């Protein structure tokens, strides 16, 4: 079981840091790093689904703009809405 969790964490971490644009690499990568270690398998699976959403909709959701995607209300989406990106 732990091996599955570790593999999923590595997959999520990699995907969150290689989005295609620096802005989204920074936003999603920082968000994932801030919560990754506190999540159980169920929430890791939700996070994995969440980071597969396209960058445009994720950024609009983060900025409270209208999206073309209907986001599920769950622990991950709430954490993302509450996440504050720190300036580097």
């Amino acid at each position: 079981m732990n091996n599955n969790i570790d593999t999923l964490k590595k997959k999520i971490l990699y995907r969150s840091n290689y989005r295609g644009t620096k802005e989204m690499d920074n936003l999603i990568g920082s968000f994932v790093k801030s919560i990754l270690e506190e999540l159980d398998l169920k929430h890791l699976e939700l996070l994995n689904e969440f980071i597969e959403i396209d960058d445009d909709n994720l950024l609009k959701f983060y900025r409270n703009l209208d999206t073309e995607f209907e986001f599920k209300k769950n622990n991950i989406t709430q954490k993302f809405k509450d996440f504050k990106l720190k300036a580097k």
Side-chain angles (χ1 to χ4, degrees):
M1 179 79 149
N2 254 357
N3 198 14
N4 291 340
I5 290 175
D6 291 339
T7 301
L8 184 54
K9 283 181 179 180
K10 287 177 186 176
K11 176 185 174 187
I12 290 169
L13 192 58
Y14 180 85
R15 176 70 177 112
S16 70
N17 284 293
Y18 296 95
R19 305 289 305 178
T21 65
K22 289 279 187 199
E23 180 181 26
M24 290 306 289
D25 291 351
N26 190 24
L27 175 60
I28 303 300
S30 296
F31 168 67
V32 166
K33 287 176 194 168
S34 75
I35 67 167
L36 191 64
E37 294 305 319
E38 68 187 52
L39 301 178
D40 60 16
L41 182 58
K42 174 187 167 193
H43 289 101
L44 285 169
E45 289 169 347
L46 287 173
L47 179 59
N48 190 46
E49 289 176 23
F50 180 77
I51 65 170
E52 290 302 322
I53 298 168
D54 67 278
D55 288 350
D56 187 48
N57 279 307
L58 284 173
L59 189 57
K60 285 178 181 176
F61 181 70
Y62 183 72
R63 293 181 173 165
N64 294 315
L65 302 172
D66 290 336
T67 65
E68 298 168 7
F69 182 86
E70 187 172 337
F71 284 81
K72 298 176 186 173
K73 291 186 180 192
N74 59 42
N75 189 277
I76 300 302
T77 56
Q78 188 59 51
K79 285 180 182 289
F80 186 63
K81 287 295 239 176
D82 295 340
F83 178 70
K84 302 294 183 230
L85 183 62
K86 296 179 177 103
K88 287 188 172 184

